[in-house]
Amino acid sequence: MHRLPGDWQARLDDVETDYPHFAEFLSYIRTMCALAAADNGVVEMEWALLDGAPGTGKSTVVGRLRGLIGSDYVRVPMAAMESGAHIGGSQEFWTNSKTGLVFTTLTEGAYANPIFLLDEVDKVSADTRYDPLGPLYELLEPALATRFCDLSVPTLPIDASRISWIATSNYSVDMPDAIRQRFVLFKIPLPTPEESLCVARSVVRELKIRHPRLQPFTLDPDIFEVLAGMAPREMKKRIHRACGQAALDGRTEVRLGDFPAVAKIHRMGF
């Protein structure tokens, strides 16, 4: 089992500093970590549903919890799912039968308590013939998840009860009641202008870590005011391109003019 690292409080502080509008959710995670730290170090939590407008950073924040509440981090884009086979495997009578993400992650990973992010679960296909949510009715019930059977290997039950399930949605009311009620709901507000500046600085730091070639570049302070109006995914695209424009001009200072069509950028809730 993956256990809490010794610096868990500092790491949560960093996440909350970067994404202050997630304070309620992160407060909940902090209490679950404190319970784990007082016992055996293994985080046990109720499944969480983060509901809020697109672009608030929901999937980014969940990704930052990797290594804290769980080991591996598995993102499942639910809007693209056409059946439950991706999660729970395909039945053995199909010629292309194969195991699903749950079975593969638990049998090939080093720990039994990964984080599974069900991203945009409210956008799942409405076609009930191959219900993408089908496996979740069992997996989100701890008593049943202790003997979960992947459809491709139905005679080999595995214990999936230690998975930490977190879901995101834009409109939780569009989710089936039987699924929504299995989660603790956290409403994620749009960040204030001041909070958006924190998010923008965080995105720049994370982008430089992910792409070391961007580390020599510095951003004009006025740029952060522009970035603060964007969703995190849009920020990353714009920063990367702007650094490329600066490099093309032989500069390491990124200027406001390096961002194309700044005036046309859709601002996040402002």
Side-chain angles (χ1 to χ4, degrees):
M1 299 291 289
H2 173 82
R3 302 180 192 280
L4 273 175
D7 63 344
W8 66 269
Q9 294 193 64
R11 290 171 65 171
L12 278 176
D13 288 343
D14 288 344
V15 179
E16 190 163 356
T17 296
D18 292 342
Y19 295 89
H21 55 303
F22 280 79
E24 182 185 5
F25 169 63
L26 293 173
S27 175
Y28 170 70
I29 294 297
R30 196 179 299 274
T31 60
M32 295 300 101
C33 289
L35 285 174
D39 186 25
N40 61 1
V42 178
V43 176
E44 297 178 359
M45 56 179 279
E46 300 295 328
W47 317 146
L49 171 61
L50 310 184
D51 183 63
T56 51
K58 297 185 289 292
S59 57
T60 300
V61 167
V62 176
R64 292 278 296 270
L65 299 180
R66 179 178 184 172
L68 283 171
I69 65 174
S71 53
D72 296 326
Y73 166 64
V74 182
R75 176 181 171 269
V76 186
M78 297 302 295
M81 298 295 101
E82 297 180 349
S83 75
H86 192 62
I87 297 174
S90 50
Q91 291 179 301
E92 57 184 342
F93 59 78
W94 294 105
T95 57
N96 61 344
S97 175
K98 62 179 181 179
T99 56
L101 276 176
V102 169
F103 186 93
T104 301
T105 301
L106 293 180
T107 57
E108 296 182 1
Y111 299 97
N113 54 341
I115 303 169
F116 266 68
L117 171 63
L118 304 173
D119 209 9
E120 298 186 321
V121 73
D122 56 322
K123 295 182 180 178
V124 73
S125 169
D127 187 349
T128 57
R129 293 175 300 169
Y130 308 104
D131 186 4
L133 300 175
L136 297 178
Y137 292 97
E138 181 177 354
L139 287 164
L140 296 176
E141 287 291 345
L144 299 177
T146 57
R147 292 186 59 80
F148 174 74
C149 289
D150 187 285
L151 289 179
S152 68
V153 281
T155 60
L156 183 60
I158 58 173
D159 185 355
S161 63
R162 296 288 189 168
I163 295 174
S164 290
W165 294 95
I166 302 178
T168 72
S169 63
N170 299 144
Y171 306 100
S172 63
V173 293
D174 291 341
M175 295 170 56
D177 288 343
I179 293 294
R180 187 176 64 250
Q181 291 169 3
R182 286 168 162 81
F183 291 90
V184 177
L185 178 64
F186 293 91
K187 289 287 187 178
I188 307 301
L190 286 168
T192 64
E194 293 76 15
E195 290 172 339
S196 290
L197 286 174
C198 296
V199 175
R201 294 188 184 101
S202 170
V203 168
V204 171
R205 287 197 304 272
E206 292 172 13
L207 197 59
K208 287 188 174 185
I209 292 172
R210 186 175 177 184
H211 300 283
R213 67 179 59 183
L214 302 183
Q215 291 178 4
F217 293 90
T218 59
L219 275 64
D220 185 292
D222 290 342
I223 290 175
F224 287 95
E225 295 290 338
V226 175
L227 291 176
M230 304 180 201
R233 278 193 291 269
E234 186 66 20
M235 290 184 197
K236 295 173 184 176
K237 296 175 188 174
R238 298 278 178 166
I239 295 167
H240 211 152
R241 182 173 177 180
C243 289
Q245 182 61 52
L248 186 62
D249 294 342
R251 293 180 278 109
T252 57
E253 179 189 2
V254 180
R255 302 168 183 168
L256 195 59
D258 295 322
F259 285 77
V262 167
K264 298 180 180 179
I265 293 173
H266 174 69
R267 299 182 69 80
M268 187 169 53
F270 309 126

